[in-house]
Every structure is written in structure tokens, then in C-alpha cells.
Amino acid sequence: MHLAELNIAEWTVSPESEAARSFFGALDRVNAVAERSPGFVWRPVNPVPASRDPWAGSNVIVNMSVWETPEHLEHFVWNTAHRAIYRRKAEWFSAMRMAHFVMWWIEPGHRPTLQEAKARLDHLHEHGQTDTAFGWEHLPHVKLWQSQRCG
């Protein structure tokens, strides 16, 4: 099985602002690092039509990707350029009061849709962590994350 992840964030600055430009400049570099990282499988690179984006028209930015294992994702999140951007998230995004990150298992070769990802996030909100939708804490072998977590 491969691991899919979704992360959403709510803007506190305008996506057209100078502050957002610094985020988008960093985002391009971070995405390039992700794509070269061991265990990276896929991320959507073309804009999703608004009719297929469950967050269209909202103040939310969406990130989704697929990884071979949780360890690969964990390494990318906490041991690459991603970590520095994560530390700066308060410059661009509000602290969300509900779950904004979810993971779930998929068959190799499957490319999740945003609707599927939203259903997983909704499942996490409604039922807590289950094998259907979960966060880092649901993965017993991921211990390093707790000591490296920022913010």
C-alpha cells in the first residue's frame, strides 16, 4: 500500500499579497524537493477545475501527495526544506481549529481526487483517527516525528 496525504491551510493574507509571493516562491522549491525525494510517488501538478475542487471559492489552499511509506513522507516533512517553510506557516495561515491534515492508505497506482481527500478529512473530523483516515499519531512506528515536530 501507498500513503496519501492531504493538508489544507486557511490564508490570513491575501494570496495576491507580497507575503503570499514569498510563500509561493518557497512552495515551488519545496515541491521540487518533494518530487526528488526518496519514496515520493505523485502529487497533482495541474490546476484542478473549480467544479472538481471541494474548496473552490474558499480561503483555503490545498496540498495533496502520495508516498511509498510513512517514513518517506516523515523524512520529507521534517528533514528537508519543507521544515523551514512549516516553521513560517503563521506568516501566511491561521491556526486551524479542526483537523487540517489527514493520511490514508491507497493501492499503488491509484491517484486520489480532491473529493476523495475531502471525504477522508471529513471522516477524521467525524470519527477521529481510524484506519480509514488518520494523522501521525495513528502510525505506531513513527516515533521520530514527535521529537522533531515544529510549531
Side-chain angles (χ1 to χ4, degrees):
M1 299 297 283
H2 283 168
L3 185 73
E5 68 81 23
L6 169 79
N7 187 19
I8 64 172
E10 189 171 24
W11 289 103
T12 57
V13 299
S14 166
E16 291 81 29
S17 70
E18 185 64 36
R21 276 189 227 120
S22 68
F23 169 78
F24 285 120
L27 182 63
D28 290 340
R29 288 188 306 275
V30 170
N31 283 336
V33 169
E35 291 171 358
R36 291 190 310 267
S37 292
F40 173 83
V41 175
W42 173 84
R43 72 177 184 89
V45 291
N46 295 323
V48 175
S51 62
R52 292 188 172 151
D53 182 350
W55 291 279
S58 71
N59 198 27
V60 170
I61 187 169
V62 177
N63 175 56
M64 183 170 60
S65 59
V66 175
W67 296 81
E68 289 178 5
T69 69
E71 293 86 359
H72 287 117
L73 174 58
E74 178 187 36
H75 177 80
F76 165 72
V77 168
W78 304 116
N79 296 298
T80 70
H82 177 276
R83 184 177 182 165
I85 298 307
Y86 182 84
R87 285 183 173 176
R88 294 180 58 194
K89 68 184 179 183
E91 294 177 32
W92 308 294
F93 306 109
S94 64
M96 297 190 69
R97 291 187 171 92
M98 59 181 159
H100 58 278
F101 174 74
V102 65
M103 296 182 282
W104 68 99
W105 298 111
I106 62 171
E107 293 288 333
H110 175 65
R111 300 297 180 248
T113 65
L114 287 179
Q115 290 86 355
E116 177 185 346
K118 184 172 186 317
R120 298 294 178 141
L121 187 61
D122 291 346
H123 182 92
L124 182 62
H125 289 161
E126 293 172 23
H127 304 285
Q129 297 202 42
T130 68
D131 289 340
T132 300
F134 50 88
W136 292 112
E137 301 84 6
H138 192 72
L139 299 170
H141 64 281
V142 181
K143 301 294 183 204
L144 184 59
W145 172 81
Q146 292 178 358
S147 66
Q148 291 185 343
R149 186 168 183 259
C150 313

